[in-house]
Coordinates of all heavy atoms in Angstrom, one line a residue:
Y1 N 0.8 -1.2 0.0 CA 0.0 0.0 0.0 C 0.9 1.3 0.0 O 0.7 2.2 -0.8 CB -0.9 0.0 1.2 CG -1.7 1.3 1.3 CD1 -2.9 1.5 0.6 CD2 -1.2 2.3 2.1 CE1 -3.5 2.8 0.6 CE2 -1.9 3.6 2.2 CZ -3.1 3.8 1.5 OH -3.7 5.0 1.5
S2 N 1.9 1.3 0.9 CA 2.8 2.4 0.9 C 3.5 2.6 -0.4 O 3.7 3.8 -0.8 CB 3.9 2.2 2.0 OG 3.3 2.3 3.3
A3 N 3.9 1.5 -1.0 CA 4.6 1.6 -2.3 C 3.7 2.3 -3.4 O 4.1 3.0 -4.2 CB 5.0 0.2 -2.8
Y4 N 2.4 2.0 -3.3 CA 1.4 2.6 -4.3 C 1.4 4.1 -4.0 O 1.4 5.0 -4.9 CB 0.0 2.0 -4.2 CG -0.2 0.8 -5.0 CD1 -0.4 -0.4 -4.5 CD2 -0.1 0.9 -6.4 CE1 -0.6 -1.5 -5.3 CE2 -0.3 -0.2 -7.2 CZ -0.6 -1.4 -6.7 OH -0.7 -2.5 -7.4
V5 N 1.3 4.5 -2.7 CA 1.3 5.9 -2.3 C 2.5 6.6 -2.8 O 2.4 7.8 -3.3 CB 1.1 6.0 -0.8 CG1 1.2 7.5 -0.3 CG2 -0.2 5.4 -0.3
L6 N 3.7 6.0 -2.7 CA 4.9 6.6 -3.0 C 5.4 6.3 -4.4 O 6.5 6.7 -4.8 CB 6.0 6.1 -2.0 CG 5.7 6.5 -0.5 CD1 6.6 5.8 0.4 CD2 5.8 8.0 -0.3
H7 N 4.6 5.6 -5.2 CA 4.8 5.3 -6.6 C 6.0 4.4 -6.8 O 6.8 4.6 -7.8 CB 4.9 6.6 -7.5 CG 3.9 7.6 -7.1 ND1 2.6 7.4 -7.0 CD2 4.1 8.9 -6.8 CE1 1.9 8.5 -6.7 NE2 2.8 9.4 -6.6
L8 N 6.2 3.5 -5.9 CA 7.4 2.5 -6.0 C 6.9 1.3 -6.7 O 6.8 0.2 -6.1 CB 7.9 2.2 -4.6 CG 8.3 3.5 -3.8 CD1 8.7 3.0 -2.4 CD2 9.5 4.2 -4.5
I9 N 6.7 1.4 -8.0 CA 6.1 0.3 -8.8 C 7.0 -0.9 -8.9 O 6.5 -2.1 -8.9 CB 5.7 0.8 -10.2 CG1 4.7 2.0 -10.0 CG2 5.1 -0.3 -11.1 CD1 3.5 1.7 -9.1
D10 N 8.3 -0.7 -8.9 CA 9.3 -1.9 -8.9 C 9.0 -2.8 -7.7 O 9.1 -4.0 -7.8 CB 10.7 -1.4 -8.9 CG 11.2 -0.8 -10.2 OD1 10.4 -0.8 -11.2 OD2 12.3 -0.2 -10.2
Y11 N 8.7 -2.2 -6.6 CA 8.4 -2.9 -5.3 C 7.1 -3.7 -5.5 O 7.1 -4.9 -5.1 CB 8.4 -2.0 -4.1 CG 8.2 -2.8 -2.8 CD1 9.3 -3.3 -2.2 CD2 7.0 -2.9 -2.2 CE1 9.2 -4.0 -1.0 CE2 6.8 -3.6 -1.0 CZ 7.9 -4.1 -0.4 OH 7.8 -4.8 0.8
I12 N 6.1 -3.1 -6.1 CA 4.8 -3.8 -6.3 C 5.1 -5.0 -7.2 O 4.6 -6.1 -6.8 CB 3.8 -2.9 -7.0 CG1 3.5 -1.6 -6.2 CG2 2.6 -3.6 -7.4 CD1 2.8 -1.9 -4.8
I13 N 5.8 -4.9 -8.2 CA 6.1 -6.0 -9.1 C 7.0 -7.1 -8.4 O 6.6 -8.3 -8.5 CB 6.7 -5.5 -10.4 CG1 5.7 -4.7 -11.2 CG2 7.2 -6.7 -11.3 CD1 6.3 -3.9 -12.4
A14 N 8.0 -6.7 -7.7 CA 8.9 -7.6 -7.1 C 8.2 -8.4 -6.0 O 8.7 -9.5 -5.6 CB 10.1 -6.9 -6.5
T15 N 7.2 -7.9 -5.4 CA 6.5 -8.6 -4.3 C 5.3 -9.4 -4.7 O 4.5 -9.8 -3.9 CB 6.1 -7.6 -3.1 OG1 5.4 -6.5 -3.7 CG2 7.4 -7.0 -2.5
T16 N 5.1 -9.5 -6.0 CA 4.0 -10.3 -6.6 C 4.6 -11.7 -6.9 O 5.9 -11.7 -7.2 CB 3.5 -9.7 -7.9 OG1 2.9 -8.4 -7.5 CG2 2.3 -10.5 -8.5
V17 N 3.9 -12.8 -6.8 CA 4.4 -14.1 -7.1 C 5.3 -14.0 -8.4 O 4.8 -13.6 -9.4 CB 3.3 -15.1 -7.2 CG1 3.8 -16.4 -7.8 CG2 2.6 -15.3 -5.9
P18 N 6.5 -14.5 -8.3 CA 7.4 -14.4 -9.5 C 6.8 -14.9 -10.8 O 7.0 -14.2 -11.8 CB 8.6 -15.2 -9.0 CG 8.7 -15.0 -7.6 CD 7.2 -15.0 -7.1
A19 N 6.1 -16.0 -10.8 CA 5.5 -16.5 -12.0 C 4.5 -15.6 -12.6 O 4.1 -15.7 -13.8 CB 4.9 -17.9 -11.7
Q20 N 4.0 -14.6 -11.8 CA 2.9 -13.7 -12.3 C 3.5 -12.3 -12.8 O 2.9 -11.6 -13.4 CB 1.9 -13.4 -11.2 CG 1.1 -14.6 -10.7 CD 0.1 -14.2 -9.7 OE1 0.3 -13.5 -8.8 NE2 -1.1 -14.7 -10.0
Q21 N 4.8 -12.1 -12.5 CA 5.4 -10.7 -12.7 C 5.3 -10.3 -14.1 O 5.2 -9.2 -14.4 CB 6.8 -10.7 -12.1 CG 6.8 -10.7 -10.6 CD 8.2 -10.7 -10.0 OE1 9.1 -10.5 -10.6 NE2 8.2 -10.9 -8.7
T22 N 5.5 -11.3 -15.1 CA 5.6 -10.9 -16.5 C 4.2 -10.4 -17.0 O 4.2 -9.7 -18.0 CB 5.9 -12.1 -17.4 OG1 5.0 -13.2 -17.1 CG2 7.4 -12.6 -17.1
F23 N 3.1 -10.7 -16.3 CA 1.8 -10.2 -16.7 C 1.5 -8.8 -16.2 O 0.5 -8.2 -16.6 CB 0.7 -11.1 -16.1 CG 0.8 -12.5 -16.6 CD1 1.1 -13.6 -15.8 CD2 0.5 -12.8 -18.0 CE1 1.1 -14.9 -16.2 CE2 0.6 -14.1 -18.4 CZ 0.9 -15.2 -17.6
L24 N 2.4 -8.2 -15.3 CA 2.1 -6.9 -14.8 C 2.6 -5.8 -15.7 O 3.7 -5.9 -16.3 CB 2.8 -6.8 -13.4 CG 2.3 -7.8 -12.4 CD1 3.0 -7.7 -11.1 CD2 0.8 -7.7 -12.1
D25 N 1.8 -4.8 -15.9 CA 2.2 -3.7 -16.7 C 2.6 -2.5 -15.9 O 1.8 -1.8 -15.2 CB 1.0 -3.3 -17.6 CG 1.2 -2.2 -18.6 OD1 2.1 -1.3 -18.3 OD2 0.5 -2.1 -19.5
A26 N 4.0 -2.3 -15.8 CA 4.5 -1.3 -14.9 C 4.0 0.1 -15.2 O 3.7 0.9 -14.3 CB 6.1 -1.3 -15.0
A27 N 3.8 0.4 -16.5 CA 3.4 1.8 -16.9 C 1.9 2.0 -16.4 O 1.6 3.1 -15.9 CB 3.5 2.0 -18.4
E28 N 1.1 1.0 -16.6 CA -0.3 1.0 -16.1 C -0.4 1.2 -14.6 O -1.2 2.0 -14.1 CB -1.0 -0.3 -16.6 CG -2.5 -0.2 -16.7 CD -3.0 -1.5 -17.2 OE1 -3.0 -1.7 -18.4 OE2 -3.4 -2.4 -16.4
L29 N 0.5 0.4 -13.9 CA 0.5 0.5 -12.4 C 0.9 1.9 -12.0 O 0.4 2.5 -11.1 CB 1.4 -0.6 -11.9 CG 0.9 -2.0 -11.9 CD1 2.0 -3.0 -11.6 CD2 -0.3 -2.2 -11.1

């Protein structure tokens, strides 16, 4: 939640199940 507030998108992606990370769109997040 704090990472969303502070726009730390790399952290959002890194803390999602590794097998799912390729499906995440960093620009959209």
Side-chain angles (χ1 to χ4, degrees):
Y1 173 83
S2 292
Y4 274 115
V5 174
L6 300 168
H7 318 310
L8 303 173
I9 300 309
D10 289 351
Y11 184 82
I12 298 296
I13 293 171
T15 54
T16 301
V17 169
Q20 297 186 312
Q21 292 177 9
T22 54
F23 297 114
L24 301 175
D25 182 335
E28 200 176 279
L29 289 169

